Structures are given as C-alpha cells and as structure tokens.
C-alpha cells in the first residue's frame, strides 16, 4: 500500500509549493508540546528565543532575497527564513569543518578534543513554523567533526537538555564508547557528562547521532552531525570542499515529515545558491539522516559527478547525476562544472523537493 494517500499528500504539498503558499502559511505547532502563537502573512512573527527574535519580513513572511529573486526560480518555491531568525545558517555549515583542539601525544600522534553540548532550542524552519529541536551545540545539523586517520579523539559530551541523550559515532571503536543505552556509560542523564575516546578509523565520510530510545524522535529532532576522517596520506586536493546533511522535520507529531532540507533550513539554497567556480574540483560529503522516510536522494542538473560510497575507497564507484541513500548512508560526490550558470540540485523525489529539499549551484568563471 502506498505510504501517502492523495488527500494527505496534497495537504502536505500545499504548504510550500509557491510564494503565495509561503506568505499565507499559518503558524504550525511543532511536535513536543510547545505552543507558538502568531499569524502568518508577516503580521506577527512567532515567538523565538534569544538572538533569533527579529521583526517579521515586510514581504509576507518571505525573505528579501526570495522576494527579489523569486521570478528567477521559474515557478519553484523559495522564501526561506532569514538565517538570523532561523538560528541555522546552511551556507556557513557547508564549509565549517571543526578540527577540534589539537595537541601532540607522547607517541607523536595528534589528539583532537571537542566540547559538545546537547541543548533544547527552538528553530524557525519556515515562515511561521517553529520547531522545538534538540541539538548539538545549538545547531541542526551539529558540528561537522574532522579528523585524520589514526588520530586519538576525545569528545567531551554534556547533556544540558531535558531528556537522556548519547553520542553514537559511525566508525570502529570499543563497545563502551558506542553511545548505546545499557553499554558502557549508556544513557547520559540531564546535567551529566561523559567523554567518548577512540581512534579515528576507518577513513571516510561518517556521521554521529543520538542513540537514545525511542530512537526515531531523538534523531528526527536534530541530534546528528557529520564526522569526516581524512585518509592518513590525504586525498587529491580539491579546490572546494563542503558537507551536505540531508534531513527532515516532523512538525505535527506524526510518523512522517512536513519539511525537508539540506543543512537544516528548507529552501535556503534556492534563495542563496552555493557559489562555486567553473572547472574547479568540488568535493561534497553527502550524508543522509532523514528519519520517517525510507530513502533519500541527491541529483544535480546538467552535470555528472563521481561518487565514492561511504568515502572509504579512493576510487569512485560510478559516474552519475543521481544517487540514493537510506538513513545512515553517506558518500563523497566529486564534480567539476564545465559551464557557468545556475544548476539546480535536489532530492529526486518530487515531494521532498517541493517541501524544501532543493537549491542551486551558481557557477562563475574562475
């Protein structure tokens, strides 16, 4: 039986299929028991805590960039929430690789250390839609941790949220460092801390996430991030390197998502295209942590790319323009754009794209 009924699918799609829908979308109550009042259409911005609180846009809830550039989208939706209001900056996340605090061990190896804090925080993910997230270091996705193969890693984790959490790393490590309830330190209670320590292996594109039960909401509410281990001898030098974490948002407490994005903010890359140079080697770590849907995908218009599944090999598996990933799958895309211009990228699942998972590469002459 199909997962989506036609009636329900049309209802979900109607929220964000164009500028008019964005301008008129009512304030939604996201899962988690939070009540966020306010009206859409730019009349009243929903309550957002801390530095995220700003005055609503004068363009009916649509960002200034979207208002100015929407005609250039040829009928595709835009209107992402301004980053200062959302509390998430997908463009900054693209190239933000956190290499930690480094020191040298007696055996000559590099020790990398990070401080990671789980916090409860509201994020305005679409105009008038506030999502009560659980996050690592106050962002969705969490920091992209970068290490070199063979480094010793120490992640000092503190749970400042209201629920038990863990950090589970995809990679090779001892059982007590697995971040699984009932094993080793197990669940980290609110107000408690634990240090995860293990060697960086194997090299590749990985991820980390909370593994507390019930697992689905702990992941879906934002507790995940990229984990990159560079080969000991390095990879061929790329001109530009970035990370794209594919995710979704369940805003009504059901068993599915109402919004989809890359790096945390629906439609952001429609309004703010990814800037790349013509003929430059662009390396993209693509990571799927989408919950409640069985599969996600990544497609680029007008170009092909080499794909390295999991990033654990130095030779690509295929030359293509579309890949599919189930939750937890990831890989490296390497692409050169031979022609300047704007090239769309998105999930090759129409519903996901229409609900936020779409954007542009903007290629300019070197």
């Amino acid at each position: 039986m199909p997962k989506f009924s036609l009636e329900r699918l049309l209802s979900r799609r109607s929220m964000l299929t164009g500028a008019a829908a964005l301008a008129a979308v009512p304030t939604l109550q996201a899962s988690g028991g939070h009540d966020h009042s306010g009206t859409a259409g730019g009349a009243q911005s929903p309550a957002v805590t801390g530095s995220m609180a700003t005055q609503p846009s004068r363009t009916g809830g649509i960002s200034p960039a979207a208002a100015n550039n929407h005609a250039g989208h040829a009928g595709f939706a835009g209107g992402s929430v301004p980053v200062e209001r959302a509390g998430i900056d997908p463009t900054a996340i693209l190239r933000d690789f956190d290499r930690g605090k480094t020191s040298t061990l007696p055996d000559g190896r590099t020790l990398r250390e990070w401080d990671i804090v789980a916090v409860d925080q509201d994020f305005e993910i679409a105009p008038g839609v506030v999502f009560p997230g659980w996050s690592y270091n106050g962002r969705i996705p969490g920091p992209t941790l970068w290490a070199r193969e063979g480094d010793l890693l120490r992640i000092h984790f503190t749970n400042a949220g209201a629920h038990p959490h863990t950090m589970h790393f995809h990679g090779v490590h001892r059982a007590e460092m697995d971040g699984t309830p009932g094993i080793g330190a197990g669940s980290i209670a609110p107000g408690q801390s634990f240090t995860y320590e293990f060697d960086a292996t194997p090299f590749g594109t990985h991820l980390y996430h909370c593994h507390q039960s019930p697992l689905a909401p702990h992941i879906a509410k934002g507790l995940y991030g990229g984990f990159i281990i560079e080969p000991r001898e390095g990879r061929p030098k790329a001109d530009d390197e970035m990370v794209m974490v594919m995710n979704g948002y369940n805003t009504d407490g059901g068993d599915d998502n109402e919004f989809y994005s890359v790096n945390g903010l629906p439609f952001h890359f429609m309004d703010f295209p990814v800037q790349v140079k013509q003929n430059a080697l662009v390396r993209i770590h693509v990571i799927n942590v989408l919950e409640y849907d069985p599969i996600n995908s990544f497609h680029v218009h007008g170009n092909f790319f080499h794909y390295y599944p999991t990033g654990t090999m130095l030779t690509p598996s295929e030359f293509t323009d579309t890949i599919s990933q189930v939750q937890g799958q990831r890989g490296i895309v390497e692409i050169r754009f031979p022609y300047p211009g704007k090239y769309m990228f998105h999930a090759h699942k129409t519903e996901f794209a229409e609900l936020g998972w779409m954007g542009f590469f903007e290629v300019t002459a070197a």
Side-chain angles (χ1 to χ4, degrees), residues 176-258:
E176 55 266 34
M177 294 295 153
D178 199 47
T180 302
I183 301 175
S187 303
I188 309 303
Q192 299 300 306
S193 299
F194 179 73
T195 296
Y196 298 95
E197 180 175 314
F198 50 90
D199 294 333
T201 185
F203 73 77
T205 298
H206 307 306
L207 69 152
Y208 63 89
H209 58 83
C210 181
H211 213 291
Q212 180 66 41
S213 297
L215 187 55
H218 278 257
I219 295 176
K221 287 179 73 66
L223 290 169
Y224 46 78
F227 174 41
I228 312 301
I229 300 179
E230 183 81 356
R232 194 183 307 270
E233 303 303 324
R235 296 183 187 273
K237 181 175 174 54
D239 300 299
D240 197 356
E241 189 162 3
M242 59 189 73
V243 62
M244 292 187 177
V245 178
M246 304 188 294
N247 74 317
Y249 290 103
N250 176 355
T251 61
D252 64 5
D255 61 353
D256 54 20
N257 299 295
E258 285 66 51

Side-chain angles (χ1 to χ4, degrees), residues 6 171 323:
L6 178 60
I323 58 167

Side-chain angles (χ1 to χ4, degrees), residues 41-322:
Q44 177 65 47
S45 176
V48 181
T49 59
S51 62
M52 291 186 290
T54 63
Q55 293 299 314
S57 166
R58 294 183 180 274
T59 58
I62 301 173
S63 70
N68 292 335
N69 298 331
H70 186 74
H73 294 167
F76 290 102
S80 61
V81 178
V83 298
E84 65 274 8
R85 204 167 89 197
I88 302 170
D89 187 347
T91 297
I93 290 171
L94 274 178
R95 300 177 177 90
D96 183 13
F97 294 87
D98 189 341
R99 288 166 166 78
K101 178 183 177 182
T102 61
S103 58
T104 303
L105 296 165
D107 63 4
R109 287 196 301 157
T110 296
L111 169 65
R112 295 183 188 272
E113 299 183 81
W114 294 269
D115 292 312
I116 303 293
V117 181
V119 295
D120 300 346
Q121 182 173 333
D122 287 350
F123 299 92
E124 188 179 358
I125 59 170
V129 182
V130 176
F131 181 76
W134 300 343
S135 66
Y136 292 122
N137 285 10
R139 54 175 258 187
I140 298 175
T144 301
L145 308 186
W146 186 99
R148 189 173 296 278
E149 182 185 17
D151 292 346
L152 179 63
L153 311 182
R154 288 179 186 159
I155 300 92
H156 306 289
F157 173 62
T158 299
N159 183 4
H163 304 272
H165 295 306
T166 76
M167 291 188 73
H168 166 70
F169 289 84
H170 285 226
V172 177
H173 45 247
R174 292 174 291 135
E176 55 266 34
M177 294 295 153
D178 199 47
T180 302
I183 301 175
S187 303
I188 309 303
Q192 299 300 306
S193 299
F194 179 73
T195 296
Y196 298 95
E197 180 175 314
F198 50 90
D199 294 333
T201 185
F203 73 77
T205 298
H206 307 306
L207 69 152
Y208 63 89
H209 58 83
C210 181
H211 213 291
Q212 180 66 41
S213 297
L215 187 55
H218 278 257
I219 295 176
K221 287 179 73 66
L223 290 169
Y224 46 78
F227 174 41
I228 312 301
I229 300 179
E230 183 81 356
R232 194 183 307 270
E233 303 303 324
R235 296 183 187 273
K237 181 175 174 54
D239 300 299
D240 197 356
E241 189 162 3
M242 59 189 73
V243 62
M244 292 187 177
V245 178
M246 304 188 294
N247 74 317
Y249 290 103
N250 176 355
T251 61
D252 64 5
D255 61 353
D256 54 20
N257 299 295
E258 285 66 51
F259 299 90
Y260 299 84
S261 73
V262 165
N263 289 359
L265 195 56
F267 295 113
H268 174 85
F269 293 117
M270 292 293 286
D271 299 331
F272 304 96
V274 179
Q275 301 296 311
V276 296
K277 293 296 184 181
Q278 183 180 6
N279 293 318
L281 176 60
V282 180
R283 179 175 295 141
I284 309 170
H285 301 269
V286 179
I287 303 168
N288 181 32
V289 290
L290 178 64
E291 188 59 81
Y292 302 120
D293 286 285
I295 197 165
N296 208 336
S297 56
F298 177 91
H299 169 60
V300 179
H301 284 206
N303 293 272
F304 269 52
F305 53 79
H306 287 102
Y307 184 60
Y308 302 75
T310 318
T312 50
M313 303 293 287
L314 298 178
T315 55
S317 65
E318 61 181 315
F319 188 54
T320 183
D321 64 357
T322 306

